[in-house]
Amino acid sequence: MSAFILFVGVSVAVFILIRKIVSGARCKSKAKLSGKTVIVTGSNTGIGRETAVDLARRGARVILACRSKGRGEAAVAIVKRESQSSNVVFMQLDLASLKSVRAFAETFLKTEKRLDILINNAGIYMQGTTEDGLGLMFGVNHIGHFLLTNLLLDRLKECGPSRIVTVSSTLHQSGNLDFSLLSAHKEFGTGDSTLDVFRIYSHSKLCNVLFTHELAKRLQGTSVTCYSLHPGVINSELARSTHPVLRKILKPIGAVFFKDVEAGAQTTIHCAVQEGIEGLSGQYFSNCAVKKVQPKARDDAVAKKLWEVSEKLCGLS
């Protein structure tokens, strides 16, 4: 019996230690955001909603920019309840439609006086095609946010100091941008196998890092700064479109070794509110700290080409 009690005790201690390590660093800033306005894309669930709760709790007016009206309005009720703030609203945004992105930006600029923080959080992990014929992951994870950011940039400059935070992933390290493939298929990859989807997702996450790298250069001399980040491996809904067998395998693993959404939102929040990081504009963060990226993720020529190609695909050039 004593051996069993010892085993249980050790198991619990190991579990607690693993969870503490997995949870990672936390945002330490106590910054208040009264009078500030924030947009969080994909904020009806996961780390996006958790980010919205934190920023609303700090006093910000928070816009939940989500595709589904039903899920978005349900999220508003949750965020209001958990943050104890009534200054939370839903606005419809489908990042898989450039028309929807433009409509969102037009409505926002007409109805809201400020924009202090833009958080490009939404992400998708599944194959498909956008309304505009782009690969779904390239279109949603990069192009939709690229257009949204550019359409709102003047308002961000007017309200500076302001910030743009783009959620990427450590998987960007597995990405590579083949512009000939993009030209042929409007996506940085082809195929429907598990490995193909993984690679194409990784390419889209590399786009996030390179976009932020180039954006920071273009924002020099303004009061707007930008950051990309890895939130950690999150036990969230991102992989809801993966194979059911894979989801079943990951569920018990995720319960122990993945961050929960509250821990996963910490680096996003850090980049949004932490004082004194303005000089780190364009950098990539993980666990609430700057992390050096591979040369391909800070390649000036590739970042500039991606920007120019993105402008053409969005009709901005």
Side-chain angles (χ1 to χ4, degrees), residues 126-286:
M126 63 182 293
Q127 278 291 56
T129 306
T130 72
E131 179 180 289
D132 306 282
L134 302 172
L136 191 59
M137 286 187 277
F138 174 63
V140 171
N141 297 353
H142 170 63
I143 287 292
H145 283 131
F146 176 88
L147 178 59
L148 179 67
T149 300
N150 276 281
L151 293 176
L152 298 177
L153 207 47
D154 286 344
R155 181 61 55 83
L156 284 159
K157 290 176 181 177
E158 291 169 10
C159 298
S162 53
R163 296 184 182 184
I164 301 163
V165 180
T166 300
V167 178
S168 180
S169 166
T170 191
L171 294 181
H172 81 270
Q173 297 177 85
S174 300
N176 288 288
L177 304 190
D178 184 336
F179 287 96
S180 62
L181 261 179
L182 180 65
S183 179
H185 302 285
K186 293 191 176 181
E187 177 62 279
F188 283 114
T190 60
D192 295 301
S193 72
T194 300
L195 185 57
D196 290 331
V197 176
F198 173 85
R199 285 173 174 163
I200 295 168
Y201 178 78
S202 299
H203 301 331
S204 74
K205 294 290 101 179
L206 177 58
C207 288
N208 295 152
V209 180
L210 287 167
F211 164 59
T212 300
H213 179 78
E214 177 67 16
L215 179 60
K217 291 187 172 188
R218 293 170 182 257
L219 290 174
Q220 286 180 3
T222 74
S223 57
V224 186
T225 53
C226 59
Y227 316 90
S228 64
L229 66 101
H230 169 54
V233 183
I234 313 298
N235 202 9
S236 73
E237 291 189 16
L238 180 63
R240 60 186 176 270
S241 299
T242 58
H243 195 282
V245 174
L246 182 58
R247 288 204 302 273
K248 286 183 179 179
I249 293 171
L250 289 176
K251 190 171 182 179
I253 296 173
V256 179
F257 295 103
F258 294 176
K259 288 183 179 181
D260 60 28
V261 292
E262 196 266 343
Q266 294 304 308
T267 302
T268 302
I269 297 164
H270 174 88
C271 290
V273 304
Q274 184 64 47
E275 302 88 346
I277 65 169
E278 291 78 8
L280 299 173
S281 184
Q283 298 294 310
Y284 173 82
F285 284 71
S286 179

Side-chain angles (χ1 to χ4, degrees), residues 2-18:
S2 58
F4 175 74
I5 293 172
L6 178 61
F7 172 77
V8 171
V10 171
S11 298
V12 170
V14 169
F15 176 80
I16 292 171
L17 178 61
I18 290 173

Side-chain angles (χ1 to χ4, degrees), residues 95-115:
L95 289 161
S97 164
L98 297 180
K99 180 181 177 181
S100 175
V101 175
R102 291 181 183 279
F104 172 91
E106 183 180 358
T107 300
F108 177 85
L109 293 172
K110 283 181 179 177
T111 58
E112 298 289 335
K113 294 180 180 179
R114 298 193 61 86
L115 179 58

